[in-house]
Amino acid sequence: MVELVLRSRRVVTGGGERAAAVAIQGGTIVAVGSYDDVFDTEADTDLGGTALLPGLVDTHVHVNEPGRTEWEGFASATRAAAAGGVTTIIDMPLNSLPPTVDVPALRVKQAAARGQTFVDVGFWGGAIPGNSSALPALHEAGVFGFKAFLADSGVPEFPPLSPPELAAALDAAPALFVIHAEDPRYLSDLSGGATYDEFLASRPPEAEHAAIATAVEAARRAGRRVHILHLSAATALPLIAAARAEGLPVTAETCPHYLTLDAGHIPDGATEFKCCPPIRDAANADLLWRALADGLITCVVSDHSPCTPELKRRDTGDFAAAWGGIASVQLGLPVIWTAARARGHALADVADWMARRPADLVGLHRKGRIEVGAQADLVAFDPEETFVVEPARLHHKNPVTPYAGKKLSGVVRTTWLRGHAVTGDVARGRFLTREDT
């Protein structure tokens, strides 16, 4: 007897797509059989031609609770995640108050989240000047690693690390470090009323190059794993390739907006497109796609970073004053699938980039895949259905999005967390720690 069987003509496993039946017991996949296999089960659902994917794992989400809950909160962020086929998020240590830079701050954040998470949630710790001594205890408390900025983060309570401070942080804790890689020496200030072109020019590719070189040198010296967050500048890819060829534990991610949006088509005053590092041109995106296909970029995650409409300065269109962040945890799967299929990629590629590889980045090897022994975090996804993005239908707290009005392919029909359909009524999400790896 098993609790649930899900059948589909398009089950996406590590070997590609195939017709299969997935049997679930106790929140775990216990069998992946042929489509017509018979099971003694309490519930048997045939999805037909709707694809069955592993639940996505998004390792780059800013929930902002507590402290800036008017920007986003755990209930709204995790409802949006589930609606987008994401079953696990790893929350960034900022822009909450307090930032997650020591164990007491982690406990405050967990207390704020308790009872209102609709998907599983893990946490990053933060590395800031002066907290190196707090990192070992924070690591032992279960964070998946530490985030550091090499340039201003946008919030005063989370200042950047200098290269010597980054080296000290890496020495302090045997953990994965994830780096916002922009070098402040190459960034310039903007005057009020700045246009997108002026904003883009203020954060040139050289800022990413220099910061990635700093991160690579820190990884080389300390022997620590370093992961480059939200890579935008494709011209920095040779630095990462050289580090990998040297055998250094350096990886990189990118985001849907860098792969699918084009700086040349951002309307005047459309501050919903502002993020840091910035969206660059279509030729740059082509190079990012090539690196993703080749495995040099290991995963695609959202960098979901919402704020209030007022902070986005939508009334003035001022790129100097607007908050830099794009909220897309609900839309990442159809955004990437729409673009990927146009480039000849398969659903299995998308699942690899957005489920298995992010899970592997943080050591959650029972998530992000459909195989015996994996957790039954699953998504019924209709890859042929299309829809037009309507902000009012988004679940994150402030539905400001650069994708408004865009026609996308792929609709999430149902999301299961450990075999239970996520309805938005019952918060079944759990806190994850390194003990889950």
Side-chain angles (χ1 to χ4, degrees), residues 21 44 70-71 91 93 126 157 164 172 202 226 307 343 359 394:
D44 194 318
E70 70 275 15
W71 296 16
D91 176 53
E157 68 275 4
S202 76
V226 167
C307 68
R343 291 173 179 267
L394 300 177

Side-chain angles (χ1 to χ4, degrees), residues 292-317:
L292 184 62
D294 292 343
L296 183 56
I297 294 174
T298 55
C299 52
V300 179
V301 292
S302 70
D303 188 13
H304 178 78
S305 185
C307 68
T308 62
E310 293 75 21
L311 285 174
K312 264 299 185 185
R313 300 295 194 271
R314 299 181 77 200
D315 54 340
T316 64

Side-chain angles (χ1 to χ4, degrees), residues 168-252:
L170 266 65
D171 286 339
L176 169 64
F177 278 75
V178 297
I179 310 294
H180 180 119
E182 288 182 289
D183 190 314
R185 296 175 298 172
Y186 295 88
L187 305 179
S188 56
D189 294 331
L190 291 171
S191 58
T195 65
Y196 186 79
D197 286 345
E198 291 169 331
F199 167 66
L200 179 60
S202 76
R203 305 186 90 95
E206 290 78 10
E208 292 187 69
H209 299 178
I212 290 170
T214 296
V216 168
E217 178 55 32
R220 179 184 294 114
R221 190 197 63 81
R224 295 279 188 258
R225 292 173 62 205
V226 167
H227 180 72
I228 305 302
L229 297 169
H230 45 46
L231 181 69
S232 166
T235 49
L237 288 165
L239 292 171
I240 299 166
R244 297 277 291 275
E246 188 182 334
L248 297 178
V250 175
T251 53

Side-chain angles (χ1 to χ4, degrees), residues 93-125:
L94 73 163
N95 307 299
S96 55
L97 292 169
T100 315
V101 295
D102 54 31
V103 173
L106 174 64
R107 300 306 181 216
V108 168
K109 181 171 280 188
Q110 289 173 329
R114 188 165 288 113
Q116 56 170 340
T117 59
F118 293 89
V119 301
D120 285 351
V121 178
F123 302 93
W124 294 108

Side-chain angles (χ1 to χ4, degrees), residues 279-292:
I279 295 161
R280 305 191 190 276
D281 61 24
N284 182 81
D286 288 340
L287 294 173
L288 294 177
W289 276 105
R290 187 178 305 167
L292 184 62

Side-chain angles (χ1 to χ4, degrees), residues 245-270:
E246 188 182 334
L248 297 178
V250 175
T251 53
E253 69 187 34
T254 193
C255 304
H257 38 280
Y258 300 128
L259 292 166
T260 65
L261 300 178
D262 178 1
H265 292 89
I266 293 178
D268 290 342

